[in-house]
Amino acid sequence: MWPLAALLLLAPSSGHAVALEKPTLSLRPPWTTIFKGERVTLRCDGYHPLVVELRPISTLWYLGHLLLPSHGRSIEVQAPGVYRCQTRGAPVSDPVHLSVSNDWLILQVPYAAVFEGEPLVLRCRGWYDKAVYRLHYYRDGRALRYFSSGANYSVPQARAGDSGRYQCSGTMRLPVESAPMFSAPVAVTVQELFAAPVLRAGRAGAGGAVLRCETRLHPRRRAVPLQFAFYKHSRVVRRFDWAAEYRVPEAEAGELEAHWCEAATASRSVRKRSAWPQLPGRGPPGDPAATAQGPKAEPLAPGNQPLSFRKSLPPTSAPSVTSAPNATSAGPRAPAVRAPGAAPAACAPQTPLDPATGALKPEVDLLLREIRLLRDLLSRVVLGMRGPQASPEPGAAPGTPEAPWAESVETSAAGS
């Protein structure tokens, strides 16, 4: 448990108890990695009110969980570890990690957190400031930048994608130029300045509506001012302004789902847009609870028939076929449709007779007629090739023409 520096904290004007913010711990030079034997200065800046003290101590310093003997606002250190400080009556500060290296090459990164839109500067430094040549910077094992001699790598406006493990390599003259040497990798994280905004809708008087663009700044950057803009589809309905609310005209109150907003810093270095609005009584887009509130479709249509989303075809009556000039001209027949839930019909023996009348079925009768016509046609063709024949006597019953192959069989039998 961290020791307390005061029992009671009084505001100078009212005498009421107030809550103090944690102090700010700074580092000079502003790098978290130093060479062995070097020293850096830590400074603790915080509010110092009138207090009733147990002991006259202004600042407490910690290395890990160890309380250091110094009580000034700044101290010089050279040991590696995690440093914190605490002013009178305030919480403990955020930590500063100090690393000490004995390598020829180190990569120095800022001690303070870097937020979106802020500059990020990395420094590749040789042993006790020896010149570095053929300098390369890397992020997550991929080369970023090359310099012929020592130079810092900087990103003017950092983004979340700039986070990663950085490393540098280069050569030094000791006294001749050495082989490439690599620094130890250092993790760098770009902090989120503010969360993506959420657009919420509320009702206003006279049938209108009010849209509010809500976001949340990081606790360490709560003083950063933000501006807001509102859009309908891709059209700007209100340009960037300090107000986070927009009154929708009454004529467009029924189209709230088409609006969205954007939050940005004054310099536009960081801009983030919202999703579609959250309407009163509905959850966020894609929320299962919001989807469940909508009306549900009935599983069955009237008549207990399954609903179908296909467009129904117009009813047509199929004409009954009585005769056709050619059996091959008939189109394909539609397969019989079995009713849902009905048992498949048993395979009954096929019969050419109509069970209702006892006569031949129309399609069977038609097929027989076509066969007779085809046989007569073939007979006439064969008889025409052999020559004219005597026509039958008047009054004689028309006989069936004999097949030509039957006569040839009889002739060959007589000759034998």
Side-chain angles (χ1 to χ4, degrees):
M1 178 181 296
W2 303 105
L4 298 178
L7 289 178
L8 180 64
L9 174 65
L10 301 177
S13 59
S14 62
H16 294 87
V18 295
L20 293 181
E21 295 184 356
K22 61 178 64 176
T24 302
L25 182 58
S26 58
L27 178 66
R28 292 291 179 269
W31 311 110
T32 59
T33 304
I34 60 176
F35 286 111
K36 186 176 181 180
E38 292 184 326
R39 304 176 69 90
V40 295
T41 301
L42 294 171
R43 180 177 176 85
C44 189
D45 295 314
Y47 180 61
H48 298 273
L50 297 176
V51 295
V52 179
E53 300 178 348
L54 288 178
R55 50 184 177 175
I57 298 177
S58 60
T59 307
L60 300 177
W61 290 94
Y62 305 95
L63 175 57
H65 292 279
L66 176 64
L67 180 63
L68 300 179
S70 178
H71 304 298
R73 288 194 178 184
S74 60
I75 59 173
E76 284 191 352
V77 296
Q78 61 179 3
V82 179
Y83 289 87
R84 294 180 176 89
C85 72
Q86 184 181 22
T87 57
R88 292 182 289 184
V92 180
S93 69
D94 292 324
V96 168
H97 299 256
L98 183 65
S99 299
V100 176
S101 176
N102 200 29
D103 298 333
W104 286 100
L105 202 63
I106 60 174
L107 179 63
Q108 294 180 318
V109 300
Y111 73 94
V114 178
F115 288 85
E116 296 173 312
E118 297 178 352
L120 172 63
V121 180
L122 306 180
R123 179 188 183 192
C124 194
R125 183 177 171 218
W127 175 261
Y128 280 90
D129 295 327
K130 287 185 177 294
V132 181
Y133 304 94
R134 300 182 183 181
L135 179 59
H136 290 83
Y137 286 93
Y138 308 87
R139 183 182 68 225
D140 296 331
R142 301 184 62 180
L144 293 176
R145 193 73 182 273
Y146 169 78
F147 299 96
S148 58
S149 58
N152 296 341
Y153 174 76
S154 60
V155 179
Q157 296 177 353
R159 295 289 183 267
D162 295 320
S163 302
R165 295 181 63 83
Y166 286 82
Q167 196 175 13
C168 68
S169 69
T171 62
M172 288 185 292
R173 296 172 181 174
L174 303 171
V176 296
E177 189 169 355
S178 66
M181 295 177 288
F182 288 81
S183 69
V186 180
V188 175
T189 302
V190 179
Q191 303 288 336
E192 184 182 51
L193 180 61
F194 60 90
V198 177
L199 185 61
R200 302 187 186 276
R203 293 297 176 184
V210 175
L211 296 177
R212 181 172 180 82
C213 197
E214 299 179 357
T215 185
R216 183 181 66 259
L217 281 163
H218 194 280
R220 299 187 191 178
R221 295 294 187 272
R222 285 179 295 186
V224 175
L226 297 179
Q227 293 184 344
F228 305 90
F230 293 84
Y231 304 83
K232 181 181 178 182
H233 295 299
S234 59
R235 178 173 60 90
V236 180
V237 295
R238 203 203 71 182
R239 300 186 180 276
F240 277 103
D241 194 0
W242 300 109
E245 290 185 355
Y246 167 69
R247 184 175 293 273
V248 181
E250 184 178 355
E252 301 179 1
E255 300 178 313
L256 297 181
E257 295 86 349
H259 290 76
W260 54 280
C261 71
E262 190 177 16
T265 56
S267 62
R268 308 292 187 270
S269 59
V270 182
R271 300 176 61 166
K272 295 183 181 181
R273 61 160 293 173
S274 72
W276 302 116
Q278 296 185 10
L279 303 181
R282 306 183 191 178
D287 188 3
T291 308
Q293 294 178 1
K296 296 182 180 180
E298 294 293 336
L300 295 179
N304 293 332
Q305 296 297 327
L307 288 174
S308 174
F309 295 94
R310 294 185 179 181
K311 185 181 293 185
S312 59
L313 297 176
T316 57
S317 59
S320 59
V321 179
T322 56
S323 62
N326 193 344
T328 59
S329 62
R333 298 180 182 177
V337 179
R338 179 167 55 90
C347 297
Q350 302 294 330
T351 173
L353 299 180
D354 190 352
T357 61
L360 291 175
K361 293 181 179 180
E363 56 270 18
V364 177
D365 184 42
L366 178 62
L367 181 60
L368 293 177
R369 291 182 184 181
E370 294 292 338
I371 292 176
R372 293 192 190 102
L373 291 175
L374 182 59
R375 186 179 59 181
D376 293 344
L377 180 61
L378 290 176
S379 300
R380 291 174 185 177
V381 171
V382 174
L383 292 177
M385 296 175 61
R386 295 176 56 185
Q389 293 183 353
S391 57
E393 297 180 359
T400 302
E402 295 181 356
W405 55 83
E407 184 177 354
S408 62
V409 171
E410 293 176 359
T411 306
S412 58
S416 60

